[in-house]
Amino acid sequence: MGSSRLAPPPAAALAAAALAVAAAARGAPRRGEALPSAPAPSAAIAGGGGAVVLAAPPTERVYFPPGLFIMGSGQAEPAAVIALCAREVRAGQCDLPTAFFPRPGPALGLEGFVETELVAHPVYLSGFWLDRREVSVAEFRRCVESGPCTMPPPYANGGERFERPDFPVSLVTWSDADTYCRWRGGRLPTEAEWERAARGTAGRRFPWGNQYHRLRSNHGSLFVAPPDRALPGGPQRQLQGREDESDGYAELAPVGSFPGGRTPEGLDDLAGNVAEWVFDYFEERYEPQPAQNPKGPAANSAALRVARGGGYVHGGPLLRTTARLALFPTERQPWLGFRCAQGGAP
């Protein structure tokens, strides 16, 4: 796919966007029309050495033009998340420690979990493409047949029910996901790109809008897990008896099964079904200043990677567009998969 290097945003634009951070922290709406616009994917960009024509988007991908958005949450978010958790089937677990941030010392509680997303800050992203849907088992198998990829071992060790061709591929490590996206000529999206796609420039709380709807995603009722991450029986038996069938599925659903949860831009399953690996290493707090094409820290002491969107076991708090999971890159979970990006900053 052809691409062009776009000029970085002017300092004035970043400064103006920085003012929106204060508004976001106060809970004010973030309006997309206040952000810089860009040509449609099929338009020609004039300048410098002439015109550059951007390629038309493949039907299975959505193009996001270059521009600014506000990444992260405002200071009002912890109270909102606690209120959301209190409406969950397992509301009594809201005060228990979470196991989503494996590290030495005590596990984080719900408020500590939300604090990792709290620094709202303007981010400028170059234009990029993102898959409309999560990568399916059938798509991943084509990479296996070509040589670079390997089917996740748990599929043949009790997890056969997760191997349906129309299911999102799951039980994959970060490296499995990275290998597939590279084989396809793409890459894993950065955390910032994923959040931009999920929340839009208006700052949606969920991919479909600001209100939680239980029938718009393949979700669960679980928010917290034991601090030691002890879920006996392996991936094929994890969380049995904790599933929530109120959305029509006890476990995975075929990709694209929830059109009501589709983003206005046309992306499916950015909340629920499988949480999605992204490129970045995990950092506990964003830097409170404007950023351009951020890719996270170079590494961290625990080598944790980020996953976004929540899976079929997770309740509303994990399905928010700003919620973050920190996982070991070698983890294989039946609720963990990915989608690919292309283009953007190198």
Side-chain angles (χ1 to χ4, degrees):
M1 183 183 72
S3 63
S4 62
R5 184 178 296 275
L6 298 172
L14 283 177
L19 296 177
V21 174
R26 294 192 300 269
R30 300 182 284 275
R31 301 184 181 276
E33 61 267 24
L35 298 174
S37 59
S42 60
I45 301 176
V52 176
V53 178
L54 301 180
T59 57
E60 72 275 11
R61 286 183 177 157
V62 171
Y63 179 74
F64 292 88
L68 285 158
F69 82 106
I70 301 299
M71 184 175 182
S73 298
Q75 295 300 316
E77 194 67 7
V81 171
I82 290 172
L84 178 62
C85 190
R87 296 197 297 269
E88 291 289 322
V89 174
R90 290 181 169 80
Q93 294 182 334
C94 294
D95 294 332
L96 298 178
T98 175
F100 293 131
F101 295 87
R103 59 181 182 176
L108 289 173
L110 179 57
E111 290 189 46
F113 163 77
V114 180
E115 284 177 0
T116 67
E117 66 189 60
L118 280 192
V119 180
H121 58 293
V123 170
Y124 175 86
L125 292 176
S126 301
F128 66 97
W129 309 88
L130 189 64
D131 289 353
R132 288 183 182 274
R133 295 181 171 180
E134 295 160 336
V135 173
S136 70
V137 170
E139 290 168 330
F140 191 84
R141 188 174 291 282
R142 287 197 284 273
C143 180
V144 174
E145 293 168 351
S146 295
C149 298
T150 302
M151 290 303 290
Y155 280 153
N157 186 30
E160 293 86 354
R161 69 180 187 275
F162 297 112
E163 201 177 354
R164 276 182 44 172
D166 58 348
F167 277 179
V169 67
S170 63
L171 297 162
V172 287
T173 65
W174 185 93
S175 292
D176 291 337
D178 179 66
T179 297
Y180 173 87
C181 289
R182 291 179 183 274
W183 170 76
R184 244 182 59 181
R187 56 179 175 78
L188 285 172
T190 65
E191 188 174 12
E193 288 171 338
W194 192 99
E195 185 168 322
R196 161 65 180 89
R199 72 187 313 201
T201 55
R204 298 184 296 265
R205 177 163 284 168
F206 298 95
W208 54 82
N210 288 322
Q211 300 300 317
Y212 182 49
H213 295 277
R214 294 184 181 275
L215 299 182
R216 293 191 177 183
S217 66
N218 182 19
H219 62 82
S221 60
L222 180 73
F223 175 67
V224 295
D228 60 3
R229 305 175 70 81
L231 299 171
Q236 68 277 12
R237 293 186 57 82
Q238 284 184 8
L239 305 170
Q240 283 193 352
R242 295 185 178 183
E243 297 87 353
D244 183 341
E245 300 184 33
S246 65
D247 53 38
Y249 297 90
E251 294 182 323
L252 289 177
V255 295
S257 294
F258 291 84
R262 186 173 295 154
T263 70
E265 297 82 10
L267 278 75
D268 289 319
D269 299 324
L270 282 172
N273 217 17
V274 289
E276 301 176 12
W277 288 116
V278 296
F279 173 81
D280 306 45
Y281 282 103
F282 175 73
E283 58 182 341
E284 293 190 13
R285 186 65 66 92
Y286 299 129
E287 293 294 327
Q289 66 247 0
Q292 181 175 337
N293 295 316
K295 296 182 179 180
N300 54 57
S301 58
L304 299 172
R305 293 280 187 175
V306 178
R308 288 299 205 107
Y312 71 83
V313 300
H314 298 125
L318 263 293
L319 306 187
R320 295 173 304 114
T321 56
T322 53
R324 312 169 70 209
L325 294 176
L327 301 171
F328 292 113
T330 54
E331 287 198 47
R332 297 184 185 274
Q333 300 286 355
W335 46 262
L336 183 59
F338 68 99
R339 72 182 73 211
C340 300
Q342 191 169 0

